[in-house]
């Protein structure tokens, strides 16, 4: 897979065909990615105008259940994942959290329509990042059956990946109180000291592979001639009759 990095020295448009006669358009520039939108004719230029809110697409797009959604703390991360077609390969819309929240009511309804839908959150290993999943959960409102799952980073991920860590001012009591209880004591102490590690330090190709693996889950084995023969054999076909 050719992976596009997070550096975007100039604006460009990335097109990824979704179905005949319709393309997903993602514009990436110095200000980060413009939100995802649909274009009816991939052979014509986009009309000029303001970026549309996430979810502002053709109404019939929301007639189906949406099993997963990915929100990124950083716009550059969302832009990199979109440019590498993660939203298509994982069948998972990707947005920057700051641009997507609060979710468009139609997008939220599509998530609720799919049983056991999941909103994944990708964030830095920092007090702000660690608190983001809880903020997303509270921003969704009463949504029974809708899960919010953090993909990291958390401090132990940063340590395992040997990411460079920075240090800023020590967080206040409110920031520390917002840290998730699932953090280990050493991780909470690490964050309490003002340390942080940014998701942007993860190599783009590794991040793309990890996000695809975690969001789409294990891939179903493809049917082949041999698997078909084994299936027939197991059900009594292709065997000699007993004497």
């Amino acid at each position: 897979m050719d992976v596009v990095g997070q550096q975007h020295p100039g604006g460009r448009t990335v097109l990824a065909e979704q179905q005949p006669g319709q393309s997903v358009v993602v514009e990436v520039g110095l200000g980060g990615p413009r939100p995802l939108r649909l274009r009816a004719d991939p052979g014509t230029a986009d009309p000029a105008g303001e970026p549309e809110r996430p979810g502002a697409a053709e109404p019939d797009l929301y007639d189906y259940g949406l099993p997963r959604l990915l929100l990124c703390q950083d716009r550059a991360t969302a832009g990199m994942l979109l440019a590498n077609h993660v939203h298509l390969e994982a069948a998972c819309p990707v947005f920057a959290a700051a641009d997507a929240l609060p979710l468009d009511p139609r997008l939220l309804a599509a998530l609720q329509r799919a049983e056991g839908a999941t909103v994944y959150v990708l964030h830095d290993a920092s007090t702000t990042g660690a608190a983001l999943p809880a903020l997303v959960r509270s921003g969704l409102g009463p949504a029974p059956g809708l899960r919010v799952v953090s993909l990291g980073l958390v401090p132990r991920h940063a340590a395992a990946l040997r990411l460079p860590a920075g240090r800023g001012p020590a967080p206040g009591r409110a920031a520390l109180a917002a840290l998730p209880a699932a953090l280990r004591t050493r991780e909470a102490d690490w964050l309490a000291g003002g340390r942080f590690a940014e998701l942007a330090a993860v190599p783009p190709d590794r991040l793309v592979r990890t996000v695809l693996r975690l969001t789409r889950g294990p891939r179903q084995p493809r049917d082949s001639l041999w698997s078909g023969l084994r299936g027939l054999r197991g059900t009594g076909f292709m065997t000699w009759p007993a004497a």
Side-chain angles (χ1 to χ4, degrees):
M1 177 188 299
D2 294 331
V3 177
V4 180
Q6 298 189 31
Q7 298 297 322
H8 305 293
R12 64 176 179 273
T13 300
V14 180
L15 294 179
E17 186 172 342
Q18 187 174 30
Q19 58 188 13
Q22 190 179 77
S23 291
V24 176
V25 181
V26 181
E27 294 182 351
V28 181
L30 294 178
R34 289 189 175 193
L36 199 67
R37 64 184 187 276
L38 297 182
R39 191 175 69 187
D41 181 7
T44 59
D46 288 339
E50 293 299 321
E52 299 177 19
R53 279 185 52 78
E58 297 180 358
D60 60 350
L61 187 66
Y62 302 96
D63 293 340
Y64 305 94
L66 182 64
R68 61 188 71 89
L69 176 72
L70 175 61
L71 299 179
C72 303
Q73 179 181 358
D74 186 61
R75 287 188 177 94
T77 301
M80 185 273 289
L81 296 176
L82 287 168
N84 286 286
H85 303 163
V86 168
H87 57 299
L88 297 178
E89 291 195 39
C92 177
V94 178
F95 298 121
D99 299 329
L101 297 175
L103 288 184
D104 184 290
R106 295 170 299 167
L107 189 57
L108 181 58
L111 287 167
Q112 292 178 297
R113 199 171 290 117
E115 295 183 4
T118 302
V119 177
Y120 295 99
V121 184
L122 195 59
H123 55 81
D124 294 335
S126 64
T127 52
T128 303
L132 183 58
L135 290 176
V136 170
R137 174 70 267 182
S138 63
L140 294 177
L146 186 59
R147 300 189 309 149
V148 176
V149 174
S150 168
L151 298 182
L153 292 172
V154 294
R156 63 179 176 271
H157 296 156
L161 293 171
R162 301 181 182 274
L163 300 181
R167 185 189 290 269
R173 291 184 179 180
L176 294 177
L179 292 178
L183 284 178
R184 299 171 182 174
T185 302
R186 292 182 60 181
E187 293 180 299
D189 292 342
W190 189 84
L191 293 172
R195 294 185 178 90
F196 63 89
E198 295 181 335
L199 195 66
V202 180
D205 57 340
R206 184 166 191 169
L207 183 59
V208 167
R209 290 196 302 269
T210 302
V211 170
L212 286 174
R213 175 173 56 84
L214 294 177
T215 54
R216 70 186 177 189
R219 306 190 70 176
Q220 296 294 328
R222 293 183 178 180
D223 291 333
S224 66
L225 172 62
W226 296 113
S227 63
L229 293 178
R230 284 194 297 268
L232 291 173
R233 190 174 186 178
T235 55
F237 291 89
M238 300 183 64
T239 55
W240 291 106

